[in-house]
């Protein structure tokens, strides 16, 4: 257990900047954009003589929401979705996965390039453990850190816009939604999305790790060329796009697209485990093949 | 002899290049063995095989274990310094100690700390901020703080100035070596390890060309300085090498008696460097 924790610590020590910088920069942009929008609207209203309260930009639409007790059920659902932070945190998770692909692409390559692989390999830690830690760090820890930042920023903006929230909470239904459904969607849904992203996107994550383990010069070229070449060859010789569709369809971002439109966590799980169960299973098999290849390269062809 | 390393018919092929060719050797406990050879001779490949870092053909046992199959177990009792450049540059000294303490069951953090306290290395320094000599000291501190039975050093002082090289070997013999431990060193700077070694192995083009204890080296090889007029007579005794020196020639003999040679010139024991040159050419 200690070795496992130290493995994650080692990744954090090495990639601390990478894991934090993207969500932090994005947060600063969100906060600045929100402040600019708020100031802009305040100015416009002052110009037109309208009295208003100060609130962050993403809360502006909410002012237009009618009290829940005068809405139709479908209307409530739609408005609820508008108010929920799914897209907001989803964007953070998506950015984190993009960053994690860069991380996975460089993590096994960089220690081979600077020869520090010889030091790591002189310690009694197996390559399977190392590769597994790196995979989880990229596919899970990166989005979890981004999610934590997203939560803080969202709650900060929500608090700043508390006046606006209060102004629309004229009905008890909305109070209920505020305290339960939104909290679930803010805290539980993204965690489910990260889990689903890990298993649905496993072929991409493991492929990236394999490229990092086997690349001798430019991991990025080796990362993009084979899928493009295979897609082109399949198109030319078989006039089909099954392989390319399968690979590109297994990007974790697919989960985020479904996540934004899902009506419940159950529906999301049902979609990936039942309706797309065969695809998920095939993807995991492919991911296992990539992962085993990465470990083989790590054990046998680790020098550049 | 309690053998720490036993190799029989050890071979390694990289494409058409035969890096190790049917190597057989034994390394006994409590020995300091120098594995000496020119670039590309197979030294590093041999060490990698011993550590389970490379596949190979033939039989190999290190500390009674098969390096290919039991690498994880083996590395608990083996410390390895590849060369000065292999510590990750981004890591801090204190993080290295924490990582070593958590991952290596035989690493003694306080011993490493004590060793580092005698140096100018700061605990919060990154490896990239240290000089080459300091990085080597740090790596040595890590290696000797492992209660390892077998220490493998692959060109450990490459690129260091003479002060750091001398200090490295002093610290190695003072702080690490005892009769229960074994050291295997590869280096080009043979003259600096000459006094340290108990055994000498020469490797050339993947083959062992000489393997003997240092005390036997002195008995087996004699160097004779010969003047021009005695040269032909001395050559008749079949030296293994001949080189020019000021005012004459130096001939090196294997398994010759000093008493037979003295009548032709001045005899002495050859240096390891001269012996190496003789065996490699």
């Amino acid at each position: 257990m200690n070795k496992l924790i130290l493995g994650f610590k080692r990744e954090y020590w090495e990639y601390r900047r990478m894991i934090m910088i993207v969500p932090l920069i994005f947060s600063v942009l969100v906060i600045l954009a929100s402040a600019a929008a708020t100031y802009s609207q305040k100015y416009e209203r002052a110009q037109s003589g309208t009295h208003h309260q100060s609130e962050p930009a993403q809360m502006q639409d909410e002012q237009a929401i009618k009290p829940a007790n005068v809405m139709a059920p479908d209307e409530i659902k739609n408005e609820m979705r508008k108010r929920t932070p799914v897209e907001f945190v989803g964007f953070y998770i998506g950015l984190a996965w993009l960053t994690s692909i860069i991380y996975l692409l460089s993590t096994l390559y960089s220690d081979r390039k600077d020869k520090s692989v010889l030091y790591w390999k002189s310690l009694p830690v197996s390559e399977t453990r190392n590769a597994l830690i790196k995979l989880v760090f990229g596919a899970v820890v990166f989005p979890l850190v981004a999610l934590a930042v997203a939560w803080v920023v969202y709650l900060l903006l929500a608090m700043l816009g508390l006046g606006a929230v209060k102004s629309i909470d004229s009905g008890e239904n909305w109070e209920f939604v505020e305290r339960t459904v939104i909290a679930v969607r803010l805290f539980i849904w993204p965690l489910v999305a990260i889990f689903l992203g890990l298993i649905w996107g496993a072929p991409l994550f493991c492929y990236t790790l394999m490229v990092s383990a086997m690349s001798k010069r430019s991991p990025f070229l080796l990362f993009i060329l084979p899928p493009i070449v295979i897609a082109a060859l399949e198109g030319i010789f078989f006039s089909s796009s099954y392989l390319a569709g399968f690979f590109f369809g297994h990007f974790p971002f697919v989960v985020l697209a479904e996540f934004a439109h899902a009506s419940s966590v159950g529906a999301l799980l049902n979609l990936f485990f039942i309706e797309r169960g065969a695809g998920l299973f095939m993807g995991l098999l492919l991911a296992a093949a990539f992962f085993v290849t990465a470990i083989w390269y790590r054990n046998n062809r680790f020098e550049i | 002899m309690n053998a720490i390393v036993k190799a029989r018919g050890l071979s390694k092929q990289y494409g058409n290049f035969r890096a190790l060719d049917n190597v057989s050797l034994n390394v006994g406990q409590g020995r300091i063995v120098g594995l000496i050879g020119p670039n590309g001779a197979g030294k590093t490949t041999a060490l990698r095989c011993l550590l389970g870092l490379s596949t190979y053909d033939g039989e190999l046992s290190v500390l009674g274990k098969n390096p290919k199959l039991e690498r994880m177990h083996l590395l608990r009792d083996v410390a390895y310094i590849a060369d000065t450049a292999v510590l990750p540059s981004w890591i801090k000294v204190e993080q290295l100690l924490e990582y070593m303490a958590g991952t290596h069951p035989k690493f003694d953090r306080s011993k490493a700390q004590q060793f580092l306290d005698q140096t100018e290395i700061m605990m919060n320094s990154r490896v990239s901020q240290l000089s080459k000599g300091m990085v080597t000291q740090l790596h040595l501190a890590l290696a000797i703080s492992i209660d390892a039975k077998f220490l493998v050093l692959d060109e450990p002082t490459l690129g260091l100035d003479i002060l750091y090289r001398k200090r490295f070997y002093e610290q190695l013999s003072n702080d690490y070596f005892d009769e229960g431990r074994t050291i295997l060193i590869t280096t080009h700077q043979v003259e600096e390890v000459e006094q340290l070694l108990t055994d000498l192995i020469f490797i050339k083009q993947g083959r062992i060309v000489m393997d003997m204890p240092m005390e036997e080296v002195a008995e087996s090889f004699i160097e004779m300085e010969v003047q021009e007029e005695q040269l032909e007579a001395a050559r008749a005794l079949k030296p293994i090498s001949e080189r020019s020196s000021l005012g004459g020639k130096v001939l090196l003999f294997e398994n010759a008696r000093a008493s037979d040679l003295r009548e032709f010139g001045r005899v002495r024991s050859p240096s390891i460097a001269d012996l190496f040159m003789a065996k490699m050419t």
Side-chain angles (χ1 to χ4, degrees):
Chain A
M1 190 62 188
N2 194 22
K3 276 189 186 179
L4 207 63
I5 293 166
L6 269 169
F8 284 109
K9 271 179 117 171
R10 171 191 144 183
E11 296 308 310
Y12 176 72
W13 291 332
E14 186 172 4
Y15 293 97
R16 188 176 46 188
R17 284 185 191 164
M18 188 189 252
I19 199 170
M20 295 302 295
I21 202 112
V22 172
L24 287 179
I25 287 177
F26 182 64
S27 299
V28 168
L29 291 176
V30 165
I31 291 168
L32 286 178
S34 180
T38 304
Y39 179 79
S40 159
Q41 291 202 0
K42 194 174 180 179
Y43 180 76
E44 279 172 16
R45 287 180 193 186
Q47 289 291 89
S48 60
T50 313
H51 176 73
H52 67 289
Q53 289 174 287
S54 172
E55 63 266 336
Q58 75 270 27
M59 299 296 178
Q60 296 299 312
D61 287 346
E62 292 165 358
Q63 285 198 314
I65 296 171
K66 290 182 282 184
N69 53 1
V70 297
M71 284 179 172
D74 280 352
E75 212 176 354
I76 291 175
K77 262 190 180 175
N78 285 335
E79 292 304 336
M80 203 171 78
R81 192 165 292 153
K82 259 189 194 174
R83 289 164 57 89
T84 56
V86 166
E87 289 88 350
F88 183 78
V89 293
F91 209 87
Y92 273 85
I93 294 171
L95 273 178
W97 276 334
L98 268 180
T99 321
S100 77
I101 287 169
I102 298 168
Y103 156 78
L104 288 170
L105 210 48
S106 68
T107 185
L108 295 179
Y109 174 73
S110 59
D111 66 8
R112 289 160 59 229
K113 196 179 175 195
D114 69 11
K115 290 177 79 183
S116 60
V117 64
L118 287 171
Y119 166 70
W120 301 117
K121 287 178 87 70
S122 73
L123 302 174
V125 181
S126 74
E127 287 305 328
T128 306
R129 182 191 292 261
N130 274 339
L132 205 57
I133 285 171
K134 285 172 186 293
L135 179 66
V136 173
F137 194 77
V140 179
V141 178
F142 264 70
L144 279 181
V145 170
L147 182 60
V149 175
W151 282 340
V152 171
V153 173
Y154 187 83
L155 293 175
L156 180 74
L157 292 174
M159 279 195 308
L160 289 174
L162 197 61
V165 173
K166 274 183 182 169
S167 74
I168 58 170
D169 266 347
S170 52
E172 287 179 2
N173 288 343
W174 274 119
E175 280 184 14
F176 174 75
V177 168
E178 285 290 332
R179 289 173 189 159
T180 56
V181 179
I182 291 185
V184 166
R185 294 185 77 147
L186 178 61
F187 295 110
I188 305 299
W189 281 47
L191 293 173
V192 174
I194 289 172
F195 167 70
L196 283 175
L198 167 68
I199 57 169
W200 185 256
L204 176 72
F205 292 129
C206 292
Y207 170 71
T208 314
L209 203 59
M210 181 186 76
V211 168
S212 187
M214 66 197 296
S215 178
K216 283 194 181 292
R217 204 160 290 171
S218 171
F220 184 70
L221 267 184
L222 194 62
F223 173 68
I224 56 166
L225 277 183
I228 291 173
V229 169
I230 288 171
L233 291 177
E234 190 191 0
I236 292 165
F237 292 107
F238 301 101
S239 300
S240 69
S241 59
Y242 178 75
L243 288 176
F246 179 81
F247 185 74
F248 292 112
H250 269 273
F251 277 30
F253 311 106
V254 172
V255 172
L256 291 181
E258 299 298 344
F259 170 60
H261 298 107
S263 55
S264 67
V265 168
L268 202 61
L269 292 172
N270 182 64
L271 177 69
F272 284 99
F273 280 104
I274 308 298
E275 289 176 37
R276 299 182 185 176
L280 180 68
F281 180 69
M282 292 299 290
L284 287 174
L285 279 183
L286 186 63
F290 288 147
F291 189 71
V292 168
T293 309
I295 291 165
W296 186 88
Y297 266 89
R298 195 68 183 170
N299 281 322
N300 298 290
R301 298 280 188 274
F302 57 88
E303 284 185 288
I304 293 181
Chain B
M1 181 175 69
N2 186 10
I4 296 294
V5 177
K6 282 186 212 165
R8 296 287 174 273
L10 189 65
S11 298
K12 173 72 187 176
Q13 190 98 13
Y14 292 109
N16 292 327
F17 177 66
R18 203 156 176 80
L20 287 179
D21 189 1
N22 206 25
V23 167
S24 295
L25 57 88
N26 281 344
V27 175
Q29 189 178 9
R31 312 296 288 178
I32 303 179
V33 182
L35 181 62
I36 319 287
N39 289 333
K43 305 183 296 291
T44 298
T45 304
L47 297 193
R48 300 256 170 101
C49 292
L50 298 185
L51 295 162
L53 294 176
S54 180
T55 54
Y56 54 82
D57 296 318
E59 288 175 32
L60 180 60
S61 158
V62 180
L63 294 165
K65 295 184 176 73
N66 182 333
K68 259 196 291 198
L69 305 175
E70 301 170 273
R71 194 171 81 87
M72 285 304 107
H73 288 290
L74 182 63
L75 288 176
R76 290 178 191 168
D77 289 311
V78 178
Y80 172 52
I81 300 182
D83 67 41
T84 53
V86 303
L87 288 180
S89 58
W90 51 265
I91 204 164
K92 288 183 177 177
V93 176
E94 60 196 357
Q95 291 170 344
L96 260 180
L97 296 189
E98 183 181 345
Y99 190 79
M100 289 288 291
T103 53
H104 207 301
K106 294 192 172 176
F107 180 75
D108 183 346
R109 188 175 181 157
S110 59
K111 189 175 176 183
Q113 189 84 52
Q114 276 174 13
F115 184 95
L116 291 172
D117 285 346
Q118 298 162 24
T119 69
E120 292 170 8
I121 298 168
M122 308 293 287
M123 294 304 285
N124 60 353
S125 297
R126 288 188 195 281
V127 169
S128 58
Q129 295 169 320
L130 304 177
S131 70
K132 241 181 176 180
M134 286 169 153
V135 175
T136 309
Q137 279 187 317
L138 173 59
H139 208 162
L140 182 64
L142 299 177
I144 66 175
S145 303
I146 295 170
D147 184 20
K149 294 172 185 157
F150 186 33
L151 176 61
V152 178
L153 305 170
D154 187 7
E155 300 283 1
T157 56
L158 198 67
L160 297 187
D161 64 36
I162 183 126
L163 285 176
Y164 272 112
R165 294 205 301 265
K166 290 276 181 197
R167 198 180 300 167
F168 178 90
Y169 289 117
E170 274 173 24
Q171 286 167 330
L172 186 64
S173 59
N174 294 339
D175 296 337
Y176 175 77
F177 186 66
D178 63 38
E179 61 193 15
R181 300 174 199 256
T182 306
I183 302 175
L184 181 59
I185 308 172
T186 72
T187 180
H188 284 97
Q189 285 132 354
V190 284
E191 62 283 359
E192 283 171 24
V193 292
E194 196 170 345
Q195 302 306 317
L196 195 69
L197 300 181
T198 61
D199 296 78
L200 193 60
I201 299 174
F202 285 165
I203 185 169
K204 180 185 175 185
Q205 293 175 340
R207 293 183 180 187
I208 303 290
V209 293
M210 196 186 90
D211 179 1
M212 63 174 61
M214 286 299 281
E215 56 267 23
E216 273 183 39
V217 171
E219 290 167 11
S220 302
F221 295 94
I222 298 174
E223 202 172 64
M224 180 171 64
E225 208 170 327
V226 188
Q227 299 302 313
E228 195 63 41
E229 55 273 19
Q230 299 280 10
L231 188 57
E232 285 311 311
R235 277 178 178 159
L237 297 172
K238 295 183 179 169
I240 60 168
S241 81
E242 180 181 322
R243 68 176 197 276
S244 298
S245 73
L246 287 173
K249 294 275 185 183
V250 176
L251 278 59
L252 203 150
F253 295 88
E254 184 170 3
N255 295 325
R257 280 189 294 188
S259 55
D260 295 342
L261 300 175
R262 279 199 187 99
E263 61 180 289
F264 302 104
R266 197 157 58 91
V267 297
R268 61 180 180 233
S269 290
S271 70
I272 299 297
D274 289 335
L275 187 56
F276 175 71
M277 289 297 291
K279 283 285 186 181
M280 292 299 140
T281 50

